[in-house]
Structures are given as structure tokens and as C-alpha cells.
Coordinates of all heavy atoms in Angstrom, one line a residue:
M62 N 0.8 -1.1 0.0 CA 0.0 0.0 -0.1 C 0.9 1.2 0.0 O 1.9 1.3 0.7 CB -0.8 -0.1 1.2 CG -1.6 1.2 1.4 SD -2.8 1.2 2.8 CE -4.0 0.0 2.1
K63 N 0.6 2.1 -0.8 CA 1.3 3.5 -0.9 C 0.8 4.4 0.2 O -0.4 4.6 0.3 CB 1.1 4.2 -2.3 CG 2.0 3.4 -3.2 CD 2.2 4.1 -4.5 CE 3.1 3.6 -5.4 NZ 3.7 4.4 -6.4
Y64 N 1.7 5.1 0.8 CA 1.3 6.2 1.8 C 1.8 7.5 1.1 O 2.7 7.6 0.4 CB 2.0 5.9 3.1 CG 1.6 4.7 3.8 CD1 2.2 3.5 3.7 CD2 0.5 4.7 4.7 CE1 1.7 2.5 4.4 CE2 0.2 3.8 5.4 CZ 0.6 2.5 5.3 OH 0.3 1.5 5.9
S65 N 1.2 8.6 1.6 CA 1.5 9.8 1.3 C 2.9 10.3 1.7 O 3.5 11.2 1.1 CB 0.4 10.9 1.5 OG 0.3 11.0 2.9
M66 N 3.3 9.8 2.8 CA 4.5 10.0 3.5 C 5.4 8.9 3.4 O 5.1 7.9 3.9 CB 4.2 10.6 5.0 CG 5.6 11.0 5.7 SD 5.0 11.4 7.3 CE 4.5 13.0 6.9
Q67 N 6.6 9.1 2.9 CA 7.6 8.1 2.8 C 8.6 8.2 4.0 O 9.3 9.2 4.0 CB 8.4 8.1 1.5 CG 7.4 7.9 0.4 CD 6.7 6.6 0.4 OE1 7.2 5.5 0.6 NE2 5.3 6.6 0.0
M68 N 8.8 7.3 4.7 CA 9.7 7.3 6.0 C 10.4 6.1 5.9 O 10.1 5.1 5.4 CB 8.9 7.4 7.2 CG 8.0 8.7 7.3 SD 7.1 8.8 8.8 CE 8.4 9.5 9.8
D69 N 11.7 6.2 6.6 CA 12.5 5.0 6.8 C 12.0 3.9 7.7 O 11.7 4.1 8.7 CB 13.9 5.4 7.3 CG 14.9 4.4 7.3 OD1 14.7 3.2 6.7 OD2 16.0 4.6 7.9
P70 N 11.6 2.8 7.2 CA 10.9 1.7 8.0 C 11.8 1.2 9.3 O 11.2 0.7 10.1 CB 10.6 0.5 7.0 CG 11.6 0.8 5.8 CD 11.8 2.3 5.9
K71 N 13.1 1.6 9.1 CA 14.0 1.0 10.3 C 13.8 1.9 11.6 O 14.1 1.6 12.6 CB 15.4 1.0 9.8 CG 15.8 0.1 8.7 CD 17.2 0.2 8.3 CE 17.3 -0.7 7.0 NZ 18.6 -0.4 6.3
I72 N 13.5 3.2 11.3 CA 13.3 4.2 12.3 C 11.9 4.7 12.7 O 11.7 5.6 13.4 CB 14.3 5.2 12.4 CG1 14.0 6.0 10.9 CG2 15.8 4.8 12.4 CD1 14.7 7.4 10.9
S73 N 11.0 4.1 11.9 CA 9.5 4.5 12.0 C 8.6 3.4 12.1 O 8.9 2.3 11.8 CB 9.2 5.4 10.9 OG 9.2 4.6 9.6
A74 N 7.4 3.8 12.6 CA 6.3 2.7 12.6 C 5.0 3.4 12.2 O 4.8 4.6 12.3 CB 6.2 2.1 14.0
R75 N 4.1 2.6 11.7 CA 2.9 3.2 11.2 C 1.6 2.6 11.7 O 1.8 1.3 12.1 CB 2.8 3.0 9.7 CG 3.7 3.8 8.9 CD 3.7 3.4 7.5 NE 5.0 3.8 6.8 CZ 4.9 4.6 5.7 NH1 3.9 4.6 5.1 NH2 6.1 4.9 5.2
A76 N 0.6 3.2 11.8 CA -0.7 2.6 12.1 C -1.7 3.3 11.2 O -1.7 4.5 11.0 CB -1.0 2.8 13.6
Y77 N -2.5 2.4 10.4 CA -3.4 2.9 9.4 C -4.8 2.5 9.7 O -5.1 1.4 10.1 CB -2.9 2.3 8.2 CG -3.7 2.6 6.9 CD1 -3.6 3.8 6.3 CD2 -4.7 1.7 6.4 CE1 -4.3 4.3 5.2 CE2 -5.4 2.1 5.3 CZ -5.2 3.4 4.7 OH -5.9 3.8 3.7
G78 N -5.6 3.7 9.8 CA -7.1 3.4 10.1 C -8.0 3.4 8.8 O -8.0 4.4 8.2
R79 N -8.5 2.3 8.5 CA -9.1 2.2 7.2 C -10.5 1.8 7.6 O -10.9 1.0 8.4 CB -8.5 1.3 6.3 CG -9.2 1.0 5.1 CD -8.5 0.2 4.0 NE -9.1 0.2 2.7 CZ -8.5 -0.1 1.7 NH1 -7.4 -0.8 1.7 NH2 -9.2 -0.1 0.6
A80 N -11.5 2.4 6.9 CA -12.9 2.3 7.1 C -13.3 2.5 8.5 O -14.2 1.8 9.0 CB -13.4 0.8 6.5
M81 N -12.9 3.5 9.1 CA -13.2 3.9 10.4 C -14.6 4.5 10.4 O -14.8 5.3 9.4 CB -12.2 4.8 11.1 CG -10.8 4.1 11.2 SD -9.6 5.2 11.7 CE -9.9 5.5 13.5
R82 N -15.4 4.1 11.3 CA -16.8 4.8 11.4 C -16.8 6.1 12.1 O -17.6 6.2 13.2 CB -17.7 3.7 12.0 CG -17.6 2.4 11.3 CD -18.7 1.5 11.8 NE -20.1 2.2 11.7 CZ -21.1 1.6 11.3 NH1 -21.2 0.4 10.9 NH2 -22.2 2.4 11.3
I83 N -16.0 7.1 11.5 CA -16.1 8.3 12.0 C -16.2 9.4 10.9 O -16.0 9.0 9.8 CB -14.8 8.7 12.9 CG1 -13.6 8.5 12.1 CG2 -14.7 7.7 14.1 CD1 -12.2 8.9 12.8
S84 N -16.5 10.6 11.2 CA -16.7 11.7 10.1 C -15.3 12.0 9.7 O -14.4 12.3 10.5 CB -17.4 12.8 10.8 OG -17.3 13.9 9.9
T85 N -15.1 12.3 8.4 CA -13.9 12.7 7.9 C -13.6 14.1 8.4 O -12.4 14.4 8.7 CB -14.0 12.8 6.4 OG1 -14.2 11.4 5.8 CG2 -12.7 13.1 5.7
R86 N -14.5 15.0 8.5 CA -14.4 16.3 9.0 C -13.9 16.2 10.5 O -12.9 17.0 10.8 CB -15.6 17.1 8.9 CG -15.5 18.5 9.4 CD -16.8 19.3 9.2 NE -18.0 18.7 9.8 CZ -18.4 18.9 11.0 NH1 -17.8 19.8 11.8 NH2 -19.5 18.4 11.5
H87 N -14.4 15.3 11.3 CA -14.0 15.2 12.8 C -12.5 14.6 12.7 O -11.7 15.2 13.6 CB -14.8 14.2 13.4 CG -16.2 14.8 13.6 ND1 -17.2 14.2 14.1 CD2 -16.8 16.0 13.4 CE1 -18.4 14.8 14.2 NE2 -18.1 16.1 13.7
S88 N -12.2 13.6 11.9 CA -10.9 13.1 11.8 C -9.8 14.1 11.4 O -8.7 14.1 11.9 CB -10.7 11.9 11.1 OG -11.1 12.2 9.6
I89 N -10.3 15.0 10.5 CA -9.2 16.1 10.1 C -9.0 17.1 11.2 O -7.8 17.4 11.4 CB -9.9 16.9 8.8 CG1 -9.8 16.0 7.7 CG2 -9.1 18.1 8.6 CD1 -10.6 16.6 6.4
E90 N -10.0 17.5 12.0 CA -9.9 18.4 13.1 C -8.9 17.6 14.2 O -8.0 18.3 14.7 CB -11.2 18.7 13.8 CG -12.1 19.6 12.9 CD -11.4 20.9 12.6 OE1 -10.8 21.5 13.5 OE2 -11.5 21.4 11.4
I91 N -9.2 16.4 14.5 CA -8.4 15.8 15.5 C -7.0 15.6 15.1 O -6.0 15.8 15.8 CB -9.0 14.4 15.8 CG1 -10.4 14.6 16.4 CG2 -8.1 13.5 16.8 CD1 -11.2 13.3 16.5
C92 N -6.7 15.2 13.8 CA -5.5 15.0 13.3 C -4.6 16.4 13.3 O -3.4 16.4 13.5 CB -5.4 14.5 11.8 SG -5.8 12.7 11.8
R93 N -5.3 17.6 12.9 CA -4.6 18.7 13.0 C -4.1 19.0 14.5 O -3.1 19.8 14.7 CB -5.5 19.9 12.6 CG -5.7 19.9 11.1 CD -6.5 21.1 10.7 NE -6.8 21.1 9.3 CZ -7.9 21.6 8.6 NH1 -8.7 22.3 9.4 NH2 -7.9 21.7 7.5
A94 N -4.9 18.7 15.5 CA -4.6 18.9 16.8 C -3.5 18.1 17.3 O -2.6 18.6 18.2 CB -5.8 18.7 17.8
I95 N -3.3 16.9 16.9 CA -2.3 16.0 17.4 C -1.0 16.0 16.6 O 0.0 15.4 16.9 CB -2.6 14.6 17.7 CG1 -3.2 14.0 16.4 CG2 -3.9 14.6 18.8 CD1 -3.5 12.4 16.6
R96 N -0.9 16.5 15.4 CA 0.1 16.5 14.4 C 1.4 17.1 15.0 O 1.2 18.3 15.6 CB -0.2 17.2 13.2 CG 0.9 17.1 12.0 CD 0.5 17.7 10.7 NE -0.6 16.9 10.1 CZ -1.9 17.4 9.8 NH1 -2.1 18.7 9.9 NH2 -2.7 16.6 9.2
G97 N 2.4 16.5 15.0 CA 3.7 17.1 15.6 C 3.9 17.0 17.0 O 5.0 17.1 17.6
K98 N 2.9 16.3 17.7 CA 3.1 16.0 19.1 C 3.7 14.6 19.4 O 3.6 13.7 18.5 CB 1.8 16.2 19.9 CG 1.3 17.5 20.0 CD 0.0 17.5 20.7 CE -0.7 18.8 20.9 NZ -0.5 19.8 19.9
N99 N 4.5 14.5 20.5 CA 4.9 13.1 20.8 C 3.7 12.3 21.2 O 2.6 12.6 21.5 CB 6.1 13.2 21.7 CG 5.6 13.5 23.2 OD1 4.5 13.6 23.5 ND2 6.7 13.7 24.0
L100 N 3.9 11.0 21.2 CA 2.8 10.1 21.4 C 2.1 10.2 22.8 O 1.0 10.3 22.9 CB 3.3 8.6 21.2 CG 2.3 7.5 21.5 CD1 1.2 7.5 20.5 CD2 2.9 6.2 21.7
Q101 N 2.9 10.4 23.8 CA 2.4 10.6 25.2 C 1.5 11.8 25.2 O 0.4 11.9 25.9 CB 3.4 10.6 26.2 CG 4.3 9.4 26.3 CD 3.8 8.1 26.2 OE1 2.7 7.9 26.9 NE2 4.2 7.0 25.4
K102 N 2.0 12.9 24.7 CA 1.2 14.2 24.7 C -0.1 14.1 24.0 O -1.1 14.5 24.4 CB 2.0 15.3 24.3 CG 3.1 15.7 25.2 CD 3.7 17.0 24.7 CE 4.7 17.6 25.7 NZ 5.5 18.7 25.2
A103 N 0.0 13.4 22.8 CA -1.2 13.2 21.9 C -2.2 12.3 22.8 O -3.3 12.7 22.6 CB -0.7 12.6 20.6
K104 N -1.8 11.2 23.3 CA -2.7 10.3 23.9 C -3.3 11.2 25.2 O -4.6 11.0 25.4 CB -2.0 9.1 24.3 CG -1.8 8.2 23.3 CD -1.0 6.9 23.7 CE -1.7 6.1 24.7 NZ -0.9 4.9 25.0
A105 N -2.5 11.9 25.9 CA -3.1 12.5 27.0 C -4.0 13.6 26.6 O -5.2 13.8 27.3 CB -1.9 13.2 27.9
M106 N -3.8 14.2 25.5 CA -4.7 15.3 25.0 C -6.0 14.7 24.6 O -7.1 15.1 24.9 CB -4.1 16.0 23.9 CG -5.0 17.1 23.2 SD -4.0 17.8 21.9 CE -5.4 18.6 21.0
L107 N -6.0 13.5 23.9 CA -7.1 12.8 23.5 C -8.1 12.3 24.6 O -9.3 12.3 24.6 CB -6.9 11.8 22.5 CG -6.3 12.3 21.0 CD1 -6.1 11.0 20.2 CD2 -7.3 13.3 20.4
Q108 N -7.3 11.7 25.5 CA -8.0 11.2 26.8 C -8.7 12.5 27.5 O -9.9 12.2 28.2 CB -7.1 10.5 27.7 CG -6.6 9.1 27.1 CD -5.5 8.5 27.8 OE1 -4.8 9.1 28.6 NE2 -5.2 7.1 27.5
S109 N -8.0 13.6 27.8 CA -8.6 14.6 28.3 C -9.9 15.2 27.6 O -10.9 15.6 28.2 CB -7.7 15.7 28.6 OG -7.2 16.4 27.5
I110 N -9.7 15.1 26.3 CA -11.0 15.4 25.6 C -12.1 14.3 25.6 O -13.3 14.6 25.8 CB -10.6 15.6 24.0 CG1 -9.7 16.7 23.9 CG2 -11.9 15.8 23.2 CD1 -9.1 16.9 22.3
A111 N -11.8 13.0 25.8 CA -12.7 12.1 25.9 C -13.4 12.1 27.3 O -14.6 11.8 27.5 CB -12.0 10.7 25.8
T112 N -12.7 12.5 28.3 CA -13.3 12.8 29.7 C -13.9 14.2 29.8 O -14.3 14.6 30.9 CB -12.1 12.6 30.8 OG1 -11.2 13.4 30.6 CG2 -11.8 11.1 30.7
R113 N -14.0 15.0 28.8 CA -14.4 16.3 28.7 C -13.7 17.3 29.7 O -14.4 18.2 30.2 CB -15.8 16.1 29.0 CG -16.7 15.5 27.9 CD -18.1 15.6 28.1 NE -18.8 14.7 27.0 CZ -19.5 15.3 26.0 NH1 -19.6 16.6 26.0 NH2 -20.1 14.6 25.2
Q114 N -12.5 17.0 29.9 CA -11.8 18.1 30.7 C -11.3 19.2 29.7 O -11.0 20.3 30.2 CB -10.5 17.4 31.3 CG -10.9 16.5 32.4 CD -9.7 15.6 32.8 OE1 -8.6 15.8 32.3 NE2 -9.9 14.9 33.8
M115 N -11.1 19.0 28.5 CA -10.8 20.0 27.6 C -11.6 19.7 26.2 O -12.2 18.6 26.0 CB -9.4 20.1 27.3 CG -8.7 18.9 26.5 SD -7.0 19.2 26.2 CE -6.9 20.3 24.7
S116 N -11.6 20.6 25.2 CA -12.4 20.4 24.0 C -11.5 20.9 22.9 O -10.5 21.8 23.0 CB -13.7 21.2 24.1 OG -13.5 22.5 24.1
L117 N -11.8 20.6 21.7 CA -11.4 21.2 20.5 C -12.4 22.2 19.9 O -13.4 21.7 19.4 CB -11.0 20.1 19.5 CG -9.9 19.2 19.7 CD1 -9.8 17.9 18.6 CD2 -8.6 19.8 19.8
D118 N -12.1 23.4 20.0 CA -13.0 24.5 19.5 C -14.4 24.2 20.0 O -15.3 24.5 19.3 CB -13.0 24.5 17.9 CG -11.6 24.8 17.3 OD1 -10.9 25.5 18.0 OD2 -11.2 24.1 16.3
G119 N -14.6 23.9 21.3 CA -15.8 23.8 21.9 C -16.6 22.5 21.7 O -17.7 22.3 22.0
K120 N -15.9 21.5 21.0 CA -16.6 20.2 20.5 C -15.6 19.1 21.1 O -14.5 19.3 21.5 CB -16.6 20.1 19.1 CG -17.6 21.1 18.5 CD -17.6 21.0 17.0 CE -18.4 22.1 16.5 NZ -18.6 22.1 15.0
Y121 N -16.3 17.9 21.4 CA -15.7 16.9 22.1 C -15.5 15.6 21.1 O -14.5 14.9 21.4 CB -16.5 16.4 23.2 CG -16.6 17.4 24.3 CD1 -17.7 18.3 24.4 CD2 -15.4 17.7 25.1 CE1 -17.7 19.2 25.5 CE2 -15.4 18.6 26.0 CZ -16.6 19.4 26.2 OH -16.6 20.4 27.2
Y122 N -16.1 15.4 20.0 CA -15.9 14.5 19.0 C -15.7 12.9 19.7 O -14.8 12.4 19.4 CB -14.7 14.7 18.2 CG -14.6 16.1 17.5 CD1 -13.8 16.9 17.9 CD2 -15.6 16.4 16.5 CE1 -13.7 18.3 17.3 CE2 -15.6 17.6 15.9 CZ -14.7 18.6 16.3 OH -14.6 19.8 15.7
T123 N -16.7 12.7 20.6 CA -16.5 11.4 21.5 C -16.2 10.2 20.6 O -15.3 9.4 21.0 CB -17.7 11.2 22.3 OG1 -18.9 11.2 21.5 CG2 -17.7 12.4 23.3
N124 N -17.0 9.8 19.5 CA -16.7 8.7 18.7 C -15.4 8.8 18.1 O -14.6 7.7 18.1 CB -18.0 8.5 17.7 CG -17.8 7.2 17.0 OD1 -17.4 6.1 17.6 ND2 -18.3 7.1 15.8
A125 N -15.1 9.8 17.4 CA -13.8 9.9 16.6 C -12.6 9.9 17.6 O -11.5 9.3 17.3 CB -13.9 11.3 15.9
I126 N -12.8 10.5 18.8 CA -11.6 10.5 19.8 C -11.2 9.1 20.1 O -10.1 8.6 20.2 CB -12.0 11.4 21.0 CG1 -12.0 12.8 20.6 CG2 -11.0 11.1 22.2 CD1 -10.7 13.5 20.3
G127 N -12.4 8.2 20.5 CA -12.2 6.9 20.8 C -11.5 6.0 19.7 O -10.5 5.3 20.0
E128 N -11.8 6.3 18.5 CA -11.1 5.6 17.4 C -9.7 6.0 17.1 O -8.8 5.2 16.9 CB -12.0 5.9 16.0 CG -13.3 5.1 16.0 CD -13.4 3.8 15.8 OE1 -12.2 3.3 15.3 OE2 -14.2 3.1 16.2
M129 N -9.5 7.3 17.2 CA -8.1 7.7 17.2 C -7.2 7.4 18.4 O -6.0 7.0 18.2 CB -8.1 9.4 17.1 CG -8.6 9.9 15.9 SD -7.6 9.6 14.5 CE -8.4 10.4 13.1
L130 N -7.7 7.2 19.5 CA -7.0 6.6 20.6 C -6.5 5.1 20.4 O -5.4 4.8 20.7 CB -7.7 6.8 22.0 CG -7.7 8.1 22.8 CD1 -8.7 8.1 23.9 CD2 -6.3 8.3 23.2
S131 N -7.6 4.5 19.9 CA -7.2 2.9 19.6 C -6.1 3.0 18.3 O -5.3 2.1 18.3 CB -8.4 2.2 19.2 OG -8.9 2.7 17.9
L132 N -6.1 3.9 17.4 CA -5.1 4.0 16.4 C -3.8 4.3 16.9 O -2.7 3.7 16.6 CB -5.5 5.1 15.3 CG -4.8 5.0 14.0 CD1 -5.1 3.8 13.3 CD2 -5.5 6.1 13.2
L133 N -3.8 5.2 17.9 CA -2.5 5.6 18.6 C -1.9 4.4 19.3 O -0.8 4.4 19.5 CB -2.7 6.9 19.4 CG -2.8 8.1 18.8 CD1 -3.0 9.3 19.7 CD2 -1.6 8.4 17.9
Q134 N -2.7 3.6 20.0 CA -2.5 2.5 20.8 C -1.7 1.5 19.9 O -0.8 0.8 20.2 CB -3.6 2.0 21.6 CG -3.2 0.8 22.5 CD -2.5 1.1 23.6 OE1 -2.4 2.3 24.0 NE2 -1.5 0.3 23.8
S135 N -2.3 1.4 18.7 CA -1.8 0.4 17.7 C -0.4 1.0 17.3 O 0.5 0.1 17.0 CB -2.7 0.4 16.5 OG -2.2 -0.3 15.5
A136 N -0.4 2.2 17.0 CA 1.1 2.8 16.6 C 2.0 2.4 17.8 O 3.2 2.2 17.4 CB 1.0 4.2 16.4
E137 N 1.7 2.6 19.1 CA 2.5 2.4 20.1 C 3.0 0.9 20.1 O 4.1 0.5 20.4 CB 1.9 2.7 21.4 CG 2.7 2.6 22.7 CD 2.0 3.1 23.9 OE1 0.9 3.3 23.9 OE2 2.8 3.2 25.0
S138 N 2.0 0.0 19.9 CA 2.3 -1.4 19.9 C 3.3 -1.8 18.7 O 4.3 -2.6 18.9 CB 1.0 -2.3 19.6 OG 0.2 -2.1 20.8
N139 N 3.1 -1.1 17.5 CA 4.0 -1.3 16.5 C 5.4 -0.9 16.8 O 6.3 -1.4 16.3 CB 3.6 -0.5 15.2 CG 2.2 -1.1 14.6 OD1 1.9 -2.3 15.1 ND2 1.5 -0.4 13.8
V140 N 5.5 0.2 17.4 CA 6.8 0.8 17.9 C 7.5 -0.2 18.8 O 8.8 -0.5 18.7 CB 6.8 2.2 18.5 CG1 8.0 2.6 19.2 CG2 6.3 3.2 17.4
K141 N 6.8 -0.7 19.8 CA 7.3 -1.7 20.8 C 7.8 -3.0 20.0 O 8.8 -3.6 20.4 CB 6.3 -2.1 21.9 CG 6.2 -0.8 22.8 CD 5.1 -1.1 23.8 CE 4.9 0.0 24.8 NZ 3.8 -0.2 25.7
A142 N 7.0 -3.3 19.1 CA 7.3 -4.6 18.3 C 8.7 -4.5 17.5 O 9.3 -5.5 17.4 CB 6.2 -4.9 17.4
K143 N 8.8 -3.3 17.1 CA 10.1 -3.0 16.3 C 11.3 -2.8 17.2 O 12.4 -2.7 16.7 CB 10.0 -1.8 15.4 CG 9.2 -2.0 14.1 CD 9.1 -0.9 13.1 CE 8.8 -1.3 11.8 NZ 8.9 -0.3 10.8
G144 N 11.0 -2.7 18.5 CA 12.2 -2.4 19.4 C 12.7 -0.9 19.4 O 13.7 -0.6 19.8
L145 N 11.8 0.0 19.0 CA 12.1 1.4 19.0 C 11.8 2.1 20.3 O 11.0 1.5 21.1 CB 11.4 2.0 17.8 CG 11.7 1.7 16.4 CD1 10.8 2.3 15.4 CD2 13.2 1.8 16.1
D146 N 12.2 3.2 20.5 CA 11.9 3.9 21.9 C 10.6 4.6 21.7 O 10.5 5.6 20.7 CB 13.0 5.0 22.0 CG 12.9 5.7 23.5 OD1 12.1 5.3 24.1 OD2 13.5 6.7 23.6
V147 N 9.7 4.2 22.5 CA 8.2 4.8 22.5 C 8.3 6.4 22.8 O 7.5 7.2 22.2 CB 7.4 4.2 23.4 CG1 5.9 4.8 23.5 CG2 7.3 2.7 23.1
N148 N 9.2 6.8 23.6 CA 9.3 8.2 24.2 C 9.7 9.1 22.9 O 9.5 10.3 23.0 CB 10.2 8.4 25.2 CG 9.7 7.6 26.4 OD1 8.5 7.5 26.7 ND2 10.6 7.1 27.2
K149 N 10.3 8.6 21.9 CA 10.7 9.4 20.8 C 9.6 9.4 19.6 O 9.9 10.1 18.6 CB 12.1 9.0 20.3 CG 13.2 9.2 21.2 CD 14.5 8.8 20.6 CE 15.6 9.0 21.5 NZ 17.0 8.6 20.9
L150 N 8.7 8.8 19.9 CA 7.6 8.8 18.7 C 6.8 10.0 18.5 O 6.4 10.5 19.5 CB 6.5 7.6 19.0 CG 5.4 7.4 18.0 CD1 6.0 6.8 16.7 CD2 4.5 6.4 18.4
I151 N 6.9 10.5 17.4 CA 6.1 11.8 16.9 C 5.0 11.5 16.1 O 5.2 10.6 15.1 CB 7.1 12.7 16.1 CG1 8.4 13.1 17.2 CG2 6.4 14.0 15.8 CD1 8.0 13.9 18.4
V152 N 3.9 12.0 16.5 CA 2.6 11.7 15.7 C 2.7 12.5 14.4 O 2.7 13.7 14.3 CB 1.4 12.0 16.4 CG1 0.1 11.7 15.6 CG2 1.3 11.1 17.7
M153 N 2.7 11.8 13.2 CA 2.6 12.5 12.0 C 1.2 12.1 11.4 O 1.1 11.2 10.5 CB 3.7 12.2 10.9 CG 5.0 12.4 11.6 SD 5.3 14.1 12.0 CE 5.6 14.8 10.4
A154 N 0.1 12.7 11.7 CA -1.2 12.3 11.4 C -1.6 13.1 10.1 O -1.4 14.2 9.9 CB -2.2 12.7 12.4
S155 N -2.5 12.2 9.3 CA -3.1 12.9 8.1 C -4.5 12.3 8.0 O -4.5 11.2 8.3 CB -2.3 12.8 6.9 OG -2.2 11.5 6.4
A156 N -5.4 13.0 7.6 CA -6.7 12.5 7.6 C -7.2 12.4 6.1 O -6.7 13.2 5.4 CB -7.6 13.3 8.4

């Protein structure tokens, strides 16, 4: 499968969400919010939105947040499986 971003497979890991039952518009907003953050900060941000401690432009996107959290969990598992450092993982999200 071709990806829009080509990265070195030795130092990167991917998680791909296909046919996710969420709005494209919501996924774009969430991806913009977490792009460029490290994994721990992105997960913490999404979890605080899921528990309604913070919002994205006044909205919570509960269904989409849950799907994105599971996608980040998958990425974290892929990093661990490759033996890479989880603390250095940067989210490069695109919707």
C-alpha cells in the first residue's frame, strides 16, 4: 500500500485506520490537533477530550476520539514490536 509520506522503515512505525466509522471532518480536526506532538502528549490530550476536561474548538468528538486513541495505541504497539523507543515517537497524522 502506498502512503503519502515516505519514511525509513528502520526508524519509524505506522498505524493505518481504514474504514473507520467516524466523520472525515472530525478526523481532520483531530489530526490537526495532534500532528507534531509526541505520542504521550497526543494520547493525554485525546484522553482529556474524551473525559471532557478540554475540548477542540468547543466540541468533544467522542466517537472519533475513541477511534483515534485506539489507532495511537496500535502505533505504540508497532513501535514496541520493532524495538524502537516509544518516548521518541512523533505523531505525523493525516486524515
Side-chain angles (χ1 to χ4, degrees):
M62 173 174 291
K63 286 195 169 197
Y64 291 93
S65 61
M66 180 180 284
Q67 301 299 320
M68 300 182 78
D69 186 8
K71 295 175 188 165
I72 60 169
S73 64
R75 297 175 193 223
Y77 182 73
R79 185 174 183 164
M81 297 171 71
R82 297 187 58 136
I83 59 175
S84 166
T85 303
R86 183 174 55 91
H87 293 174
S88 65
I89 290 170
E90 292 297 322
I91 295 167
C92 287
R93 282 184 186 153
I95 64 174
R96 184 177 294 127
K98 291 183 174 32
N99 70 11
L100 178 69
Q101 305 308 324
K102 286 184 181 180
K104 283 176 64 175
M106 180 179 162
L107 293 182
Q108 287 170 348
S109 65
I110 293 170
T112 58
R113 295 184 181 256
Q114 294 174 351
M115 71 178 279
S116 66
L117 289 176
D118 299 326
K120 298 180 183 176
Y121 295 103
Y122 308 114
T123 53
N124 187 29
I126 292 289
E128 292 287 334
M129 289 293 183
L130 275 170
S131 67
L132 196 60
L133 288 181
Q134 184 64 36
S135 175
E137 183 176 13
S138 298
N139 292 343
V140 167
K141 288 178 182 176
K143 284 188 163 189
L145 301 173
D146 187 9
V147 177
N148 297 324
K149 292 184 178 181
L150 181 65
I151 303 294
V152 177
M153 302 301 288
S155 71

